[in-house]
Amino acid sequence: MSRRIREVRTASGAVAVQVVTSRGDVVVEIEHVGSAHTDAELELLWSVARERLHPGQQAFDLGEVPRVAARVDRIADWTSSGKSERSATGERGRPRHHAGDAHTVATTAQVLWDALGWVYTHLGFDQVADEAFRVMVLARLIEPTSKADTIRVVRSLGVKPPGLNTLYRSLKRCQARDYRDRLAKACLAYSARTSGRACLVLYDVTTLHFENEHEDELRKVGMSKEHRVDPQIQVGLLVDPAGFPLEVHLFEGNKAETTTIVPVLQAFQARHGVTDMVVVADAGMLSAGNLNALEDAGFSFIVGSRLTKAPYDLAEHFERKGDYFTDGQILESVRTMGTGRHARARRIVYQWSFKRSKRDDRTINAQIAKAERVAEGTAPLKRTRFLKVTGATKTLDEATIARARQLAGLKGYVTNLPLETMTSAAVITAYHDLWQVEASFRMTKNDLRARPVFHHQREAIEAHLTIVFAALAMTRYLTRATGQSLKTIVNQLRETRTSIIEINGATTTIPPKLTPQTTDLLAAIHGTNLVISPG
């Protein structure tokens, strides 16, 4: 069996493009692609015929195969009308020329939509089996907006969107069927495939605010790093060392950060049956009771330690060498944390950094200058570091300043891991991976615009967070696979448009010709070095 493309003059004088299937010299099937009256129409029909001849073919990059440009006047005209008519130059056998009836009906961003859909399936999220939910996740990657406006975003891509009520019903199903559980299990499976067993996880907390001045049982005014007074919720995020999300949880806006970590880890443990795991968290999670709770739940931990005064376990160093350290110097110690029956010995790792010392000195100088202005009466009285107020007298607290200078450049880390399990340098390296959580939060808030939240009911807010969780996982995959930002990926693929052309009343889809940059981008997303044929 062989297949080829041929051009045939029709009775009307047009040129028909056909895909012919033959067995030897016998024609088995003729597939009519369309009829052209102009060179432009003929070229379009040739493109369609080539796609039908080799549908979805992937090819090696061997360069373009030379072909004579499509010309309708090169096709012999054996019709009676063609023989009897003369052109303006007196020649016979020329076809009658028409203005043609080819025009673009629409363009679609099918390449972008298909690429994002492939990632969704590759991460195992198709286990959810809810097309409306899938649409909301993909649309959030392309243009984060409200659920109602999602329909406009999807339609702008040339994709048929679900109805608004369908989207709202999907939000309800999201909670009723616990989509987040399926997504979290898929995320851990992907992380295990790419990073190995999840024995080290990173945890942090952020807040999402609401454009609503009224509080309720969930949305509360609480501690805000941005000093906002809007109602908010607390979001706890657990990621692997590469920043890929593993677990997300919602808490009341006024809940203390230190009380969120244990419930999140216990839920992760119960969901996946993980028993030996090391969690890394920042100094905000540090309290003797919190660390005891983590240890009692079976977790190992590495937690940052705030240094506001010289710890007694460093007294010997300061007595012998003062505040002199070499860059990168590490000191080990053991300190008892907690009181009474809750007291436990903890391993403490300290490191001094020249770069951190310079940064701390700049901060201290700025705070001293601020305290001096308050003491001199040129700035209003308010809570200020290094300021000592005795009755009506305001002076600099020299003892506190000296203590801060002594600790400049030092960073402490608390862990219950023994030295033989993890060295001091490894403890510090693991803690420094916490920037991955911050990076994920930035993606969540900026690229995916998880805030402000416009939902009111807890069920809808939880569903919104589940959509953002899935979108964050896809963002992490895309940026890691391509080395480019989500915005760059979406913009480049969104400009690669598929055309829907109508020729003589017949509708034809013309795939885009991919640029080398787009081809490389798609290959990176799919994790392959194949050159994808532009069709």
Side-chain angles (χ1 to χ4, degrees), residues 358-391:
K358 291 301 180 185
R359 184 175 63 246
D360 289 348
D361 280 337
R362 287 194 300 269
T363 301
I364 291 169
N365 291 337
Q367 291 171 332
I368 290 174
K370 182 179 178 181
E372 286 176 335
R373 290 194 297 271
V374 175
E376 293 167 356
T378 59
L381 177 62
K382 56 183 178 180
R383 186 175 181 181
T384 306
R385 191 183 183 192
F386 304 142
L387 181 69
K388 182 166 62 175
V389 179
T390 306

Side-chain angles (χ1 to χ4, degrees), residues 17 52 87 425 502 524:
V17 177
R52 294 186 183 179
S87 67
E502 186 178 279

Side-chain angles (χ1 to χ4, degrees), residues 158-212:
V159 178
K160 184 179 180 181
L164 183 57
N165 288 336
T166 303
L167 297 182
Y168 287 148
R169 285 195 294 270
S170 177
L171 292 177
K172 293 183 179 179
R173 290 194 298 270
C174 180
Q175 288 306 104
R177 300 178 184 178
D178 198 2
Y179 287 176
R180 198 183 301 172
D181 178 71
R182 304 184 204 179
L183 295 173
K185 289 176 179 176
C187 283
L188 182 64
Y190 171 78
S191 176
R193 292 198 307 270
T194 57
S195 305
R197 191 170 56 88
C199 57
L200 180 69
V201 293
L202 316 172
Y203 179 78
D204 206 350
V205 175
T206 192
T207 58
L208 300 179
H209 68 270
F210 291 76
E211 294 293 342
N212 184 354

Side-chain angles (χ1 to χ4, degrees), residues 437-457:
V437 191
E438 290 296 328
S440 292
F441 278 141
R442 283 195 297 273
M443 291 178 183
T444 300
K445 294 177 179 180
N446 299 330
D447 294 344
L448 305 177
R449 296 183 198 167
R451 62 179 187 181
V453 185
F454 296 97
H455 298 289
H456 304 290
Q457 302 298 322

Side-chain angles (χ1 to χ4, degrees), residues 14 35-42 44-45 97-105 500-508:
S35 298
H37 293 91
T38 66
D39 294 345
E41 291 177 358
L42 185 57
L44 282 173
L45 291 175
H97 290 282
H98 296 263
D101 187 26
H103 58 273
T104 302
V105 177
I500 301 175
I501 308 294
E502 186 178 279
I503 305 176
N504 300 329
T507 301
T508 301

Side-chain angles (χ1 to χ4, degrees), residues 298-313:
F299 297 105
S300 298
F301 57 80
I302 300 171
V303 184
S305 175
R306 291 193 178 103
L307 299 177
T308 56
K309 61 181 180 179
Y312 64 82
D313 47 330

